């Protein structure tokens, strides 16, 4: 019963349920973990060397995906372009840039060369010695932390151990101070969305953003990310492209100013590596061009009616509205509030015969406001926060 | 086999091309002659019989090709041969004639021709099997030899390329058993099930005509005909037999034979029964019996059919007696002798003093009538103990609501009627619908059930699926109730029950003392089992239909308080979604204004304790409540479980009134968390939102958010607890001054549970304290001492002191005890500090009364005294492995002071830690001084129940976090280190335990990997199957929302290896502890003691504690004297390692089987502990 497989420290697997958006962790059973009998060390930790590309065993597609962890820029030219874009102004010499999953550090080098301070959050232990070696001549401009950016601040705090960290413990040690929401942006984050769970990562960032927690408790952090073209199109879609218009589109467009910085970057300029730090030769998913985008949270995201306290009701409303696209908005309102839907739509100045995909994000915000002011007691929503809060 | 099928399929096809009819090889047989004479003979003309010769001579490939081509012509786009079986004609190919779908079936819109091939194949397979069976049964007839059809031959000639054809066929052969065909089969199966259920539903509501009509609809449509199976015909025939309609029955029989099905036992039962009813002449009956004999069926078998009602049986007997006047009913076979462990219980010799109730017969009979009344009503309104004086506004709203209810009733009524009419129409057109299920109850009753559901929905809503399921189940239960409450069933029940009470009442005599169940069975014939619940699909469909009607109909005016005005109205039930992960769960939420108006509580009859002794369990579906069906979760396995369950249910209870008063006082006055009385929601913390300035910064609001969420959560939890307590106390108040009984049910492992969920002895301290035995017993010489010891046990203060020390502690505290009893709320409140305060208080009062009575030994006590197993799971493991060290630490060996296993483990862990600390292990040094009983307790306790390193670490982490002085940075490392030490220590102390656990786990793994669920039989002979399977999903689309029902207990699915493996050790131990409990219960019953159990905690009267202890130890020794593990291994070997007869097992499989065999034969070695020591151990159960 207590075989060696179970004696290993339990490995946590990230698994997010795309709908609800929160990260949630669970553990693979022993039987599943046993399957992962691949060589464990890709790089000896004592002497930093460039990674040799190793042949990966032929694995079934499914396992492949599970093993696969992240990607990073492999082309120095692309790295230089990105660094240039990030350092828009000359005075940005003393700016802090946080880089997630730098991998072999090609972008890190480029960033350091522009003179900025870089904090590298690397989830793979194997890369860390190599990354640290980059800092040798830069007198402390580079800080390397063993941390997984996309798993930071998990919702259940029982499982916090590197590379999962808490921002409130990590950031003070890095000397980062919080700015308030209305002040300037405190620092920049640059990275790539994990290739096979972009949606999960997008949801996690959204939750953090609307609750002003995790990195966003330090103010309106500028986020620069590589994202797949498809996903980006969905994010910026509106009623003009109803087939792409989506819950995420509404929530992101409301919360951030999004700007496309680079487009059609081929996936071949990136390298992917597995959980064990092995480089992947063949892309595990359909190769897709990447976009480099800028997301800056809006100052006016929160209003008197939409606050971090009731953001979850807004999220719920959006999910409900896009749940059955063919239904009219007025039918969805029946499931959202006991108030009279027609009155509310009139108040929000929305026509009665529209579908959810016919109206703009701002209209949803107005609709939310209309319901929020409809009555004083707590029976203006049918939403039940407690049943929603229960997470697996 | 495959070849045969193809040969015949092709041949049959050609035959069918020529003749639109069907071959009928069974026309000239005895019974049919008698039944329909010459009518059918015409269908088998001599010329046709001639044609059927020599079918086997067809060149296979040609015909095959012809069929493929034909189908290709229908669907040009689909060229690949998908589901064709490749075959060669075997030597005896085409012995018997087969049929193919009639020509009409083939003229179809183009499309899945391959499906048709499959269909042909299935049809042939079925008929082949049937023909084989028939051939075995009767004298060999010259089998018709089919001739190749001229047309087919002609067609075939035009086609060259037999090789290409062969290839295509070969390729497709592999795909044959593929997914598509199995899906198709599953779909067909589902359709068949629905039809069968429909027919049965029609029968249950007395609409045999509709069932017959549906059958004919299917029979006459060739595409549907293939769905028909003999069981459907049997069902309809049975319906006609019950009605005594002979002609209709025969017409069903004709249809059946026409499809080539031979009548089976059930068919003959119906035929004969019907003959009995219509008083058929002797010759026909005789011919029927002869035919039956030819089919190889025995006359006696007819009567062994369990589902027959006595009335049907009588009709059947009438017919048989007419033909065979000297036929005698077969005597029920004598019951098998009980397993060895139980023989003593059933032994006739020796002193037997079965307990009796304290009530006289007449009173019990009156109670029976009360209970009957409750069950007939179905549900029971109970006044809530929480009295809130309603405002004028609410009163007005309630009045309006009552008026509204009337309109809802009327509207629901008409709506249901309209639905019914619509469904009836569709059924008449030949669609399987829900019509018969809607008909089981009259509309009025359905409306009442619906409104009850409406009024009982919780404020935060309930998942739509659950409500629908509940609703349909309720409908089914009411249906059974109705069935049982008519047909003279009630009188029969009352008479039999009155006789049964003779065994229990205080003022009656019985000839021979026996167990209640034996007595019950002796009093009359066994009752037919109640009908099975409807299949899940029907339940969900019905529930959905009803619920959607309810949602649609019920509407409220915008404001309830004002006079209802026409016009603007809002729905009462909102359909909302909650998003949980990828799932989207539909909930029904009542309107917030509607919820505030609820005033009384309504309980289902099955949720209330019974007012008379429960019926003894006689089958897995009959027992407990008088009329309402409850389904036993586990299987009774004949002998042992049923009497034990019956006996546990026979204990009479009453409410401890004085205590109830005190609890109510606290409950109505804001509750008290320390005492386990939940406070009302108004006491919940309020989120500090009121002081929030409107221009607060978002990050400040973000900080508030957490607080708001926490407050909400607390409030919701408080509401849940408060509601639970409200139910319990309201029921207690309702039952005050009455005697009541708690019928028991059993889970799949054999553990017993009381059925009424809200008010029973299984709950918290508060729940237990409210109950006491209705029957009192004088304390006797030692009773008072046991009461005092019990009192000290409940306080939890002297767990590790010997009994005499506890007793003297009680004597020393007598002042406090008396004070608590007299002034519980105003005095020194000593009882409030106890582990179980309310039970302590109840015990204090009992002790006080006993001490203050003139003769304590004569004081009649009602208070249950508990004897608790100390870490019962480990006790069983230690006994199984005969671990000396382990046995001593869980009190199996006699000792002067009670041993504490947790301290033992903690000490062992400390030893290991000290060793490591010396070696310089950092964590070990950090942990110095922090290892105590508390840190390891939870892990040790749960290790028997399969806690893993992962879970264990979390438990220890929690404990370490609670320690204020422990450096928190080390928590993770230390907990990981400690959990390993705990497991290591347990391995050291309970060496046998770990080996046995490992052995059980590995065996379970091998068994479930081979594709079966783990099964075993307990030493008492109760069969157990672990119901852990992969999830199966049932989805119903359309309507208000699609409904998905996930089930992991569907035994047709593959077993879930992880759960089977991890579940086996704890379940096995649970099955052993339930055996021990049952053995103790039965032996106590024989000695006349009152006995109740909460798993490993045994309850009895204070005067009987020493007896119960003795019995308990004795039975433990007897149980473990059996070669339990060896028996288990032998059983598993027999069950799972059979040498397969077909020998066609894959190589990997045989290797697997060998591994399992090897594992099973390596039964863990036993230690040298002497089991007899248990008999002398005072603290084994204490």
């Amino acid at each position: 019963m207590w075989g060696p497989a179970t004696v290993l420290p339990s490995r946590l697997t990230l698994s997010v349920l795309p709908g609800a958006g929160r990260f949630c962790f669970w553990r693979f059973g022993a039987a599943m973990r046993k399957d992962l009998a691949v060589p464990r060390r890709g790089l000896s930790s004592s002497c930093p060397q460039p990674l040799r590309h190793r042949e990966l065993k032929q694995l079934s597609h499914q396992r492949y995906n599970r093993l696969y962890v992240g990607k990073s820029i492999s082309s120095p030219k692309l790295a230089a372009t990105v660094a240039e874009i990030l350092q828009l102004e000359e005075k940005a010499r003393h700016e802090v840039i946080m880089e997630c999953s730098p991998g072999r550090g090609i972008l890190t080098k480029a960033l350091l060369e522009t003179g900025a301070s870089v904090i590298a959050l690397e989830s793979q232990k194997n890369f860390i010695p190599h990354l640290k070696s980059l800092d040798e001549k830069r007198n402390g401009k580079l800080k390397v932390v063993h941390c997984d950016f996309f798993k930071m601040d998990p919702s259940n705090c029982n499982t916090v151990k590197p590379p999962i960290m808490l921002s409130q413990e990590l950031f003070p040690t890095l000397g980062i101070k919080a700015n308030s929401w209305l002040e300037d942006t405190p620092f920049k984050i640059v990275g790539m969305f994990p290739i096979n769970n972009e949606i999960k990562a997008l949801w996690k960032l959204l939750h953090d953003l609307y609750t002003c927690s995790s990195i966003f408790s330090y103010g309106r952090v500028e986020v620069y990310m590589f994202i797949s073209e498809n996903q980006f199109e969905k994010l910026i879609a509106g009623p003009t492209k109803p087939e792409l218009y989506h819950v995420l589109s509404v929530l992101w467009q409301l919360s951030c100013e999004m700007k496309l910085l680079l487009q059609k970057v081929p996936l071949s300029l990136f390298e992917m590596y597995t959980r064990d730090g092995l480089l992947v030769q063949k892309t595990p998913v359909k190769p897709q061009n990447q976009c480099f985008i800028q997301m800056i949270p809006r100052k006016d995201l929160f209003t008197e009616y939409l606050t971090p306290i009731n953001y979850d009701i807004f999220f719920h409303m959006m999910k409900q509205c896009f749940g059955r696209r063919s239904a009219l908005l007025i039918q969805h309102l029946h499931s959202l509030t006991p108030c009279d839907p027609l009155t509310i739509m009139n108040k929000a100045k929305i026509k009665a015969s529209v579908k959810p995909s016919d109206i703009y994000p701002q209209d949803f915000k107005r609709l939310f406001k209309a319901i929020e002011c409809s009555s004083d007691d707590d029976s203006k929503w049918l939403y039940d926060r407690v049943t929603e809060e229960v997470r697996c | 086999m495959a070849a045969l099928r193809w040969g015949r399929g092709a041949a049959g096809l050609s035959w069918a091309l020529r003749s639109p009819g069907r071959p009928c090889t069974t026309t000239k047989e005895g019974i049919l002659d008698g039944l329909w004479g010459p009518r059918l003979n015409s269908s088998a003309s001599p010329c046709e019989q001639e044609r059927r010769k020599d079918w086997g001579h067809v060149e296979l490939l040609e015909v095959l090709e012809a069929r493929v081509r034909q189908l290709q012509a229908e669907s040009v786009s689909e060229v690949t041969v998908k589901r064709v079986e490749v075959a060669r004609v075997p030597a005896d190919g085409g012995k018997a004639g087969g049929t193919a779908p009639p020509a009409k079936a083939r003229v179809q819109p183009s499309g899945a021709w391959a499906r048709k091939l499959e269909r042909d194949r299935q049809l042939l397979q079925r008929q082949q099997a049937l023909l084989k069976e028939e051939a075995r049964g009767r004298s060999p007839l010259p089998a018709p030899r089919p001739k190749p059809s001229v047309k087919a031959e002609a067609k075939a000639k035009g086609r060259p390329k037999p090789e290409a054809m062969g290839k295509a066929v070969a390729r497709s052969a592999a795909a044959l058993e593929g997914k598509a065909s199995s899906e198709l089969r599953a779909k067909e199966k589902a359709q068949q099930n629905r039809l069968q259920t429909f027919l049965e539903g029609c029968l249950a509501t007395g609409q045999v005509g509709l069932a017959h009509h549906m059958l004919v609809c299917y029979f006459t449509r060739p595409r549907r005909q293939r769905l028909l199976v003999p069981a459907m015909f049997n069902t309809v025939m049975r319906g006609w037999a019950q009605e005594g309609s002979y002609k209709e029955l025969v017409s069903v029989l004709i249809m059946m034979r026409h499809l080539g099905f031979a009548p089976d036992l059930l068919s003959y039962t119906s035929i004969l029964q019907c003959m009995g009813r219509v008083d058929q002449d002797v010759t026909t009956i005789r011919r029927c019996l002869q035919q039956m004999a030819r089919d190889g069926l025995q006359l006696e078998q007819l009567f062994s059919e369990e589902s027959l009602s006595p009335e049907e049986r009588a009709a059947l007997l009438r017919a048989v007696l007419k033909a065979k006047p000297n036929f005698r009913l077969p005597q029920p076979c004598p019951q098998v002798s009980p397993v060895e462990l139980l023989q003593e219980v059933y032994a006739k010799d020796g002193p037997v003093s079965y307990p009796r109730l304290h009530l006289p017969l007449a009173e019990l009979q009156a109670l029976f009538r009360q209970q009957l009344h409750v069950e007939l009503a179905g549900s029971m309104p109970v006044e809530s103990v929480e009295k809130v004086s309603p405002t004028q506004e609410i009163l007005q709203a309630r009045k309006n609501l009552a008026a509204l209810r009337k309109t809802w009733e009327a509207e629901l009524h008409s709506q249901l009627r309209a639905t019914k009419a619509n469904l009836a129409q569709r059924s008449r057109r030949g669609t399987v619908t829900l019509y018969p299920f809607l008909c089981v109850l009259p509309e009025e009753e359905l409306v009442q059930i619906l409104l009850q559901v409406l009024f009982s929905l919780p404020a935060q809503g309930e998942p739509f699926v659950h409500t629908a399921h509940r609703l349909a189940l309720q409908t089914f239960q009411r249906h059974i109730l109705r069935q049982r409450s008519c047909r003279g069933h009630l009188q029969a029940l009352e008479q039999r029950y009155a006789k049964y009470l003779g065994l229990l009442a205080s003022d009656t005599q019985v000839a021979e003392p026996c167990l209640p169940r034996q007595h019950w069975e002796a009093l009359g014939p066994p009752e037919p089992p109640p009908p099975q619940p409807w299949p899940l699909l029907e339940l969900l469909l019905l529930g959905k239909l009803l619920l959607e009607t309810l949602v649609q109909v019920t509407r409220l005016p915008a404001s309830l308080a004002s006079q209802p005005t026409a016009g603007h109205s809002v729905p009462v039930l909102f359909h909302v979604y909650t998003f949980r992960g990828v799932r989207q769960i539909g909930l029904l939420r009542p309107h917030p204004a509607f919820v505030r108006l609820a005033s009384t509580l309504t309980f289902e009859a099955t949720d209330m304790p019974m007012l008379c002794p429960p019926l003894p369990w006689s089958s897995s579906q009959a027992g407990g409540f008088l009329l309402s069906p409850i389904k036993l979760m586990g299987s009774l396995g004949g002998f042992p479980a049923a009497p034990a369950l019956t006996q546990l249910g026979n204990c009479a209870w009453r409410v401890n009134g004085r205590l109830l008063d005190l609890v109510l006082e606290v409950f109505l006055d804001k509750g008290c968390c320390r005492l386990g009385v939940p406070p009302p929601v108004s006491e919940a913390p309020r989120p500090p939102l009121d002081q929030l300035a409107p221009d607060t910064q978002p990050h400040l609001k973000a900080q508030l958010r957490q607080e708001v969420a926490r407050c909400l959560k607390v409030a919701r939890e408080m509401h849940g607890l408060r509601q639970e307590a409200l139910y319990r106390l309201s029921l207690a108040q309702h039952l005050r001054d009455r005697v009541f009984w708690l019928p028991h049910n059993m889970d799949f492992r054999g553990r017993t549970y009381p059925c009424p969920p809200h008010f029973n002895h299984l709950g918290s301290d508060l729940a237990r304290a409210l109950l006491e035995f209705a029957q009192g017993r004088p304390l006797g010489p030692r009773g008072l001492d046991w009461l005092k010891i019990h009192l000290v046990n409940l306080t939890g203060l002297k767990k590790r002191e010997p009994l005499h020390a506890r007793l003297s502690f009680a004597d020393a505290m007598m002042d406090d005890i008396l004070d608590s009893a007299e002034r519980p709320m105003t005095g020194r409140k000593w009882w409030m500090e106890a582990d179980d305060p309310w039970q302590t208080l109840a015990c204090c009062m009992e002790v006080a009364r006993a001490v203050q009575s003139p003769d304590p030994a004569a004081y009649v006590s009602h208070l249950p005294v508990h004897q608790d197993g100390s870490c019962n799971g480990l006790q069983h493991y230690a006994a199984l492995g005969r671990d000396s060290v382990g046995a001593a630490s869980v009190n199996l060996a006699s000792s002067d002071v009670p041993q504490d296993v947790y301290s033992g483990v903690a000490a062992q862990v400390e030893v290991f830690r000290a060793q490591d600390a010396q070696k310089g292990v950092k964590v070990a040094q950090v942990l110095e001084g922090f290892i105590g009983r508390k840190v390891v307790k939870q892990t040790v306790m749960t290790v028997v129940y399969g806690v893993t390193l992962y879970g264990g670490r979390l438990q220890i982490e929690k404990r370490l976090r609670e320690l204020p002085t422990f450096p928190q940075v080390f928590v993770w490392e230390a907990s990981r280190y400690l959990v390993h030490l705990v497991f290591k220590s347990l391995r050291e102390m309970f060496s046998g335990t770990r080996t046995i656990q490992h052995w059980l786990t590995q065996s379970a793994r091998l068994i479930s990997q081979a594709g079966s669920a783990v099964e075993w039989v307990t030493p008492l002979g109760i069969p157990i199957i672990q119901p852990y399977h992969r999830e199966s999903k049932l989805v119903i689309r359309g309507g208000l929302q699609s409904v998905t029902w996930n089930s992991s207990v569907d035994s047709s699915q593959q077993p879930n290896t992880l759960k089977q493996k991890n579940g086996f050790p704890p379940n096995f131990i649970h099955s052993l502890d339930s055996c021990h409990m049952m053995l103790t219960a039965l032996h106590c019953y024989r000695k006349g003691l009152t006995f109740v159990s909460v798993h490993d905690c045994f309850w009895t009267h204070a005067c009987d504690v020493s007896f119960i202890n003795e019995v308990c130890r004795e039975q433990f020794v007897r149980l473990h004297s059996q070669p339990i593990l060896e028996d288990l291994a032998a059983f598993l070997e027999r069950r799972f390692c059979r040498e397969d007869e077909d020998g066609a097992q894959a190589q990997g499989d045989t290797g697997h089987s060998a591994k399992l065999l090897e594992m099973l034969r390596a039964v863990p070695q036993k230690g040298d502990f002497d089991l007899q020591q248990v008999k002398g151990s005072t603290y084994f159960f204490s």
Side-chain angles (χ1 to χ4, degrees), chain A residues 5-6 8-15 25-36 62-63 65-67 275, chain B residues 948 950 1058:
Chain A
T6 42
L8 292 170
S10 56
R11 179 156 36 203
L12 296 158
T13 308
L14 177 76
S15 160
F25 298 92
W26 70 62
R27 190 176 141 266
F28 278 119
M32 291 160 106
R33 230 176 302 132
K34 198 176 56 189
D35 299 342
L36 307 171
Q62 195 194 350
R63 272 193 215 167
N65 271 342
R66 209 164 63 227
L67 282 175
R275 184 189 300 248
Chain B
T948 54
Y950 179 82
L1058 192 71

Side-chain angles (χ1 to χ4, degrees), chain B residues 357 364 497 500-501 504 610-615 624 626 649-650 741:
Chain B
L357 294 171
L364 284 173
Y497 192 79
Y500 166 70
L501 285 179
L504 301 177
M610 285 182 73
L611 300 177
C612 68
L615 289 191
L626 301 176
N650 269 352
W741 283 262

Side-chain angles (χ1 to χ4, degrees), chain A residues 158-349:
Chain A
N158 278 344
T159 49
V160 179
K161 59 173 195 276
I164 299 166
M165 297 190 97
L166 297 177
S167 56
Q168 63 197 29
E169 284 173 12
L170 174 67
F171 284 18
T173 61
L174 296 172
I176 294 176
K177 288 195 189 73
N179 285 7
S180 90
W181 192 257
L182 299 177
E183 283 177 85
D184 277 345
T185 57
F187 57 91
K188 292 174 179 171
I189 284 180
V190 59
M192 293 114 217
F193 279 116
I195 198 158
N196 51 0
N197 43 19
E198 273 177 344
I199 294 182
K200 301 166 191 172
L202 282 169
W203 271 110
K204 180 180 182 313
L205 279 184
L206 265 187
H207 273 280
D208 291 344
L209 214 160
Y210 276 83
T211 54
C212 295
S213 61
S214 193
I215 52 165
F216 295 104
S217 57
Y218 291 83
R220 297 183 295 121
V221 178
E222 282 178 49
V223 182
Y224 294 83
M225 283 281 163
F226 278 99
I227 188 171
S228 71
E229 222 164 28
N230 284 356
Q231 196 57 51
F232 180 64
E233 272 175 25
K234 278 191 201 166
L235 283 193
I236 56 162
T240 47
K241 284 185 184 168
E243 69 283 355
L244 296 176
Y245 197 31
H246 195 58
V247 186
L248 279 176
S249 333
V250 176
L251 295 178
W252 273 108
Q253 287 174 38
L254 272 184
S255 60
C256 287
E257 281 166 46
M258 281 186 284
K259 208 158 124 194
L260 181 62
L261 301 174
L262 282 176
Q263 61 177 348
K264 292 200 189 305
V265 185
L267 199 58
S268 56
L269 297 183
F270 298 87
E271 59 192 12
M272 266 150 276
Y273 44 88
T274 65
R275 184 189 300 248
D276 304 310
L278 299 171
L279 289 183
V280 179
Q281 298 282 298
K282 214 178 79 188
T283 46
V285 289
K286 214 174 105 219
Q288 262 198 9
N289 285 342
Q290 303 283 307
C291 294
F292 190 54
I293 56 169
Q294 177 196 40
M295 299 189 277
I296 304 177
R298 292 176 194 272
K299 266 187 194 175
D300 59 351
L301 166 63
F302 300 111
T303 63
E304 195 187 330
Y305 299 102
L306 179 64
T307 64
I309 298 171
N310 64 6
Y311 85 101
D312 49 342
I313 307 182
F314 185 61
F315 274 29
H316 175 85
M317 182 177 113
M318 293 320 304
K319 285 181 200 160
Q320 166 77 39
C321 285
F322 284 91
R324 199 191 272 178
R325 282 160 170 269
S326 57
L328 294 179
L329 186 59
I330 196 161
Q331 289 168 316
H332 287 301
L333 284 182
H334 271 298
S335 289
L336 286 169
T337 167
C339 310
D340 182 47
L342 213 60
T343 326
I344 286 177
M345 290 182 69
N346 281 338
K347 224 197 274 174
K349 298 193 183 66

Side-chain angles (χ1 to χ4, degrees), chain B residues 380-646:
Chain B
M380 182 87 190
V382 170
E383 204 178 325
S384 167
V385 287
E386 200 169 35
K387 295 217 171 47
V388 191
S389 51
T391 59
Q392 199 57 40
E393 198 182 5
I394 286 191
L395 281 178
Q396 178 60 36
R398 275 192 191 151
K399 230 160 111 192
N400 291 344
L401 189 66
L404 214 52
R405 196 183 157 127
K406 288 273 177 304
T407 56
W408 288 343
E409 271 172 22
E411 213 166 319
L412 277 173
H413 196 282
S414 63
Q415 187 80 27
L416 282 176
R417 190 170 284 173
T419 315
K420 238 167 161 175
N422 179 26
L423 289 179
Q425 208 175 6
R426 281 176 54 206
S427 307
R428 275 198 290 279
R429 285 201 298 267
T431 321
V432 173
T433 62
L434 286 173
Y435 178 65
F437 303 101
L438 264 186
C439 286
V440 292
L441 294 180
E443 285 97 356
E444 299 81 56
E445 206 165 340
L446 277 178
V447 169
Q448 288 314 319
I449 295 180
L450 278 173
L451 286 179
Q452 194 188 320
V453 164
L454 176 68
F455 279 86
S456 65
L457 273 182
Q460 71 273 18
E462 191 177 43
F464 182 85
V465 202
H466 294 174
T467 322
H469 188 247
R470 189 159 58 102
L471 193 53
L473 264 187
Q474 254 177 45
T475 312
F476 171 76
Q477 286 179 344
R478 292 284 171 91
H479 159 58
I480 293 200
L481 206 71
R482 279 183 79 85
Q483 267 194 339
R484 284 190 181 167
S485 56
C486 55
R487 290 196 213 151
H489 181 92
L490 287 188
Q491 282 81 9
L493 181 73
E494 186 162 4
Q495 279 167 16
R496 189 167 178 177
Y497 192 79
K499 278 190 228 158
Y500 166 70
L501 285 179
L503 185 77
L504 301 177
S506 59
D507 57 349
T508 46
Q509 293 291 322
V510 280
E512 190 185 357
C514 54
L515 292 173
R517 183 192 167 205
Q518 286 174 315
H519 189 58
W520 179 261
E521 280 173 358
L523 286 175
E527 300 121 63
Q532 287 291 317
W534 302 323
L536 193 60
L537 179 69
E538 256 67 29
L539 281 180
L540 289 181
L541 279 172
L542 179 68
K544 202 175 159 192
L545 180 82
L546 290 173
L547 207 50
E548 280 172 6
T549 317
L550 183 70
V551 172
Q552 216 173 22
V553 165
T554 48
R555 291 186 78 83
L556 281 177
S559 166
L560 258 177
S562 60
Q563 280 298 318
T565 47
H568 200 70
S569 68
V570 289
V572 181
L573 290 178
F574 292 100
H575 183 244
V576 300
Y577 282 106
T578 174
F579 298 87
R580 206 169 290 173
V582 285
R583 291 182 303 156
Q584 189 176 336
I585 299 164
L587 300 168
L588 282 183
R589 254 196 100 177
H591 194 290
F594 173 75
V595 176
R596 286 183 211 126
L597 297 179
S599 53
T600 54
L601 308 167
T602 309
F603 292 95
E604 283 287 296
T606 42
D607 290 350
M608 309 256 299
M610 285 182 73
L611 300 177
C612 68
L615 289 191
W617 284 93
S618 51
S619 76
S620 62
Q621 278 137 7
F625 291 96
L626 301 176
L627 299 172
S628 324
I630 38 172
K631 176 104 177 63
L632 201 62
M633 301 312 290
S635 66
L636 281 173
F639 254 87
L645 276 184
T646 308

Side-chain angles (χ1 to χ4, degrees), chain B residues 370-385:
Chain B
Q370 285 178 20
Q371 171 68 19
L372 200 63
H373 184 72
V374 171
E375 285 192 38
L376 282 176
S379 60
M380 182 87 190
V382 170
E383 204 178 325
S384 167
V385 287

Side-chain angles (χ1 to χ4, degrees), chain B residues 221-305:
Chain B
R221 292 180 207 182
R223 284 181 66 192
R224 291 194 188 170
Q225 204 184 57
R226 70 204 148 77
L227 291 173
L228 296 176
V229 293
M232 296 168 186
F233 294 97
N234 285 341
T235 310
V236 181
M237 275 201 279
R238 182 169 181 191
W240 287 128
Q242 280 164 353
E243 304 229 320
S245 312
Y246 186 63
K247 261 190 197 156
E248 285 83 356
L249 184 134
V250 171
S251 72
V252 176
L253 190 62
I254 293 172
M255 281 196 279
M256 188 176 180
R257 306 264 2 195
H258 191 75
L259 284 186
F261 298 127
D264 60 9
L265 207 61
L266 277 174
S267 330
Y268 281 113
T269 315
S270 304
I271 297 169
L272 286 167
Q273 193 200 130
C274 192
M275 285 173 169
R277 275 182 218 265
V278 299
D279 208 17
Q280 193 60 262
D281 60 286
V282 185
T283 32
T284 320
I285 297 179
R286 222 170 258 158
R287 203 142 9 137
C288 179
L289 290 178
Q290 280 164 9
Q291 175 62 29
M292 200 173 108
R294 265 204 297 273
D295 283 355
L297 302 170
Q298 300 290 323
L299 199 53
E300 284 77 18
Q301 284 175 294
L302 290 180
F303 291 92
S304 62
E305 189 57 53

Side-chain angles (χ1 to χ4, degrees), chain B residues 201-216:
Chain B
C202 285
L203 238 62
T205 48
Q207 310 187 54
V208 192
L210 183 61
H212 189 102
H213 177 75
M214 185 60 72
L215 197 67
V216 171

